[in-house]
């Protein structure tokens, strides 16, 4: 792709050869005279091994780099996203495969791609420009919005709703039964799960994540939320707008997560809790009580991060005082 075209798209200033064509995007340490690399900071800059074909960076970091062409931009991260989109593989819409099963009682809008071995049940609706990879299951009366990408082996249960511009990766299960039972004394009686899952616009659900349907009502993932791989969201939870959830997190039933919350990997959140807007839960936090808006919580059981740091400072100071403590204890009569 021509440097001139890329510079125009990312609103950049060209240095060096304006006619150079980029063949590939590479990481800095593998950059060569045919590739393009991005430099975000000094740490990344140090990974460059030699001369590169093109470097995209800011004016702050261009000095000292050997290149054939360069594009200077104000926001390198934004330019990075724009250029990767230019080089990403485009999906070809071919319509409905004869090797899929699409109910006559479903509604499939224009320009939808349904790959071989997909199943779309009665009453389902799939809106325009949506792409289903092989082995996707769409249950009865479920709805998938416009411009969605549903990867292979995704299960979308009955009556569930997916908004516009969502991407759902392989192995995701949306609308399995919530985990609800009554102890009858001599065994467990299952509570029927008759609610649904609603995923709003612009959400992304990582591979092998599971989002359970509500017992009654709905489990809701609000607009712009990004969920990593291997996350469990239980029945009747609500996840607020633009929240980010990292891998292996588990959120128990009926918890409410606010908007713009950041949840680290392997966080556990107990049932019926409220996590306030803008809160941060660091990796491996075990949350057993409500978290106020804007607070950073960590540890097990989770509490304010500053308290946890103080506690660990004291804990790891104990070894150097242990000998003194033993001598004191030896002199004390009990």
């Amino acid at each position: 792709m021509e440097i001139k075209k890329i510079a125009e798209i990312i609103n950049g200033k060209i240095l060096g050869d304006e006619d150079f064509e980029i063949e590939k995007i590479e990481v800095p340490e593998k950059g060569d005279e045919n590739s393009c690399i991005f430099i975000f900071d000094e740490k990344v800059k140090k990974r460059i091994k030699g001369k590169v074909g093109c470097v995209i960076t800011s004016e702050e970091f261009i000095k000292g780099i050997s290149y054939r062409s360069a594009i200077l931009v104000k926001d390198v991260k934004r330019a990075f996203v724009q250029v990767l989109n230019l080089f990403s593989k485009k999906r070809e819409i071919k319509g409905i495969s004869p090797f899929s099963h699409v109910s006559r009682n479903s509604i499939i809008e224009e320009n939808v791609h349904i790959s071989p071995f997909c199943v779309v049940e009665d009453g389902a609706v799939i809106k325009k420009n949506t792409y289903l990879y092989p082995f996707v299951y769409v249950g009865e009366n479920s709805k998938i919005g416009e411009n969605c990408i549903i990867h292979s082996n995704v299960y979308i249960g009955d009556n569930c709703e997916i908004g516009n511009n969502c991407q759902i990766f392989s192995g995701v299960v949306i609308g399995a039964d919530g985990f609800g039972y009554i102890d009858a004394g001599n065994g467990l009686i299952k509570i029927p799960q008759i609610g649904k899952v609603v995923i709003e616009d612009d959400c992304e659900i990582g591979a092998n994540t599971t989002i359970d349907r509500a017992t009654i009502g709905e489990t809701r993932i609000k607009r712009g939320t990004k969920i990593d791989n291997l996350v469990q969201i239980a029945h009747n939870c609500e996840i607020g707008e633009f929240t980010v959830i990292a891998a292996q997190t588990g959120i128990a039933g009926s918890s409410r997560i606010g908007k713009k919350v950041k949840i680290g990997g392997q966080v556990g959140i107990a049932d019926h809790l409220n996590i306030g807007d803008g809160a941060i839960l660091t990796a491996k936090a075990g949350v057993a009580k409500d978290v106020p808006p804007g607070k950073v919580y960590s540890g097990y059981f989770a509490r304010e991060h500053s308290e946890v740091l103080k506690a660990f400072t004291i804990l790891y100071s104990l070894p150097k005082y242990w000998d003194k403590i033993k001598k004191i204890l030896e002199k004390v009569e009990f």
Side-chain angles (χ1 to χ4, degrees):
M1 188 172 291
E2 292 181 353
I3 286 285
K4 290 179 182 177
K5 183 177 180 181
I6 292 174
E8 184 179 345
I9 291 169
I10 65 177
N11 194 27
K13 175 185 175 183
I14 299 175
L15 302 179
D17 185 358
E18 293 187 356
D19 297 318
F20 179 67
E21 290 199 14
I22 294 173
E23 294 182 5
K24 58 183 178 178
I25 309 296
E26 271 292 0
V27 293
E29 56 267 35
K30 291 188 177 180
D32 57 31
E33 295 191 29
N34 296 314
S35 62
C36 175
I37 65 170
F38 288 79
I39 302 300
F40 305 102
D41 53 39
E42 286 291 347
K43 188 176 180 180
V44 174
K45 183 177 175 180
K46 291 177 182 178
R47 291 158 53 189
I48 302 173
K49 301 293 185 182
K51 187 174 182 178
V52 295
C54 177
V55 58
I56 299 177
T57 189
S58 65
E59 198 159 352
E60 181 182 0
F61 302 113
I62 191 64
K63 187 176 180 180
I65 299 175
S66 178
Y67 58 84
R68 181 172 171 178
S69 299
I71 304 176
L72 301 184
V73 294
K74 291 182 178 180
D75 188 340
V76 183
K77 289 184 178 179
R78 186 175 182 84
F80 180 64
V81 173
Q82 291 174 308
V83 174
L84 288 187
N85 275 323
L86 295 175
F87 280 82
S88 63
K89 182 181 177 182
K90 301 297 184 289
R91 298 169 184 83
E92 184 180 355
I93 301 289
K94 296 180 180 179
I96 300 173
S97 168
F99 298 104
S100 63
H101 169 76
V102 178
S103 169
R104 292 180 181 178
N105 296 320
S106 63
I107 298 173
I108 311 299
E109 293 190 355
E110 62 185 7
N111 208 41
V112 166
H113 180 90
I114 299 179
S115 298
F117 313 115
C118 291
V119 175
V120 180
E121 300 283 21
D122 290 350
V125 177
I126 301 177
K127 295 192 174 181
K128 62 184 180 182
N129 303 323
T130 284
Y131 194 106
L132 271 60
Y133 279 88
F135 298 102
V136 170
Y137 177 86
V138 182
E140 291 184 6
N141 303 312
S142 284
K143 298 175 183 176
I144 301 176
E146 299 177 5
N147 306 309
C148 291
I149 301 170
I150 314 296
H151 291 264
S152 296
N153 299 307
V154 169
Y155 169 90
I156 300 170
D158 297 348
N159 304 305
C160 293
E161 299 177 18
I162 313 296
N164 301 322
N165 310 312
C166 291
Q167 184 159 199
I168 300 174
F169 287 91
S170 295
V172 167
V173 175
I174 295 170
D177 277 4
F179 193 66
Y181 301 89
I182 293 174
D183 187 349
N186 58 347
L188 298 174
I189 299 174
K190 182 179 177 63
I191 301 171
Q193 307 290 300
I194 63 172
K196 63 182 179 179
V197 175
V198 178
I199 297 174
E200 296 184 2
D201 296 349
D202 305 313
C203 290
E204 194 164 296
I205 314 295
N208 293 318
T209 282
T210 53
I211 304 173
D212 291 345
R213 71 174 56 252
T215 306
I216 299 171
E218 61 186 33
T219 302
R220 182 173 286 265
I221 313 298
K222 291 193 173 181
R223 179 172 63 102
T225 286
K226 312 300 181 185
I227 300 174
D228 198 1
N229 304 333
L230 297 165
V231 170
Q232 156 64 9
I233 298 174
H235 58 189
N236 291 94
C237 285
E238 181 181 288
I239 312 298
E241 295 180 346
F242 307 114
T243 284
V244 179
I245 305 174
Q248 297 185 4
T249 287
I251 304 175
S254 299
S255 282
R256 298 285 181 268
I257 312 299
K259 63 184 179 182
K260 296 185 177 181
V261 173
K262 295 180 181 178
I263 301 176
Q266 295 188 336
V267 168
I269 299 174
D271 59 289
H272 295 83
L273 296 185
N274 292 295
I275 310 299
D277 295 347
I280 298 174
L281 307 177
T282 67
K284 292 182 177 289
V287 184
K289 62 180 183 179
D290 292 350
V291 176
K295 295 292 185 179
V296 180
Y297 269 49
S298 63
Y300 184 85
F301 292 104
R303 59 191 67 206
E304 283 201 56
H305 188 58
S306 57
E307 291 183 29
V308 173
L309 291 178
K310 288 178 184 178
F312 274 108
T313 299
I314 294 168
L315 176 65
Y316 290 120
S317 297
L318 287 178
K320 65 182 180 182
Y321 294 115
W322 180 236
D323 287 338
K324 292 180 181 179
I325 292 170
K326 284 196 295 183
K327 289 178 182 178
I328 292 170
L329 291 174
E330 287 171 359
K331 294 177 181 178
V332 175
E333 294 183 6
F334 293 96

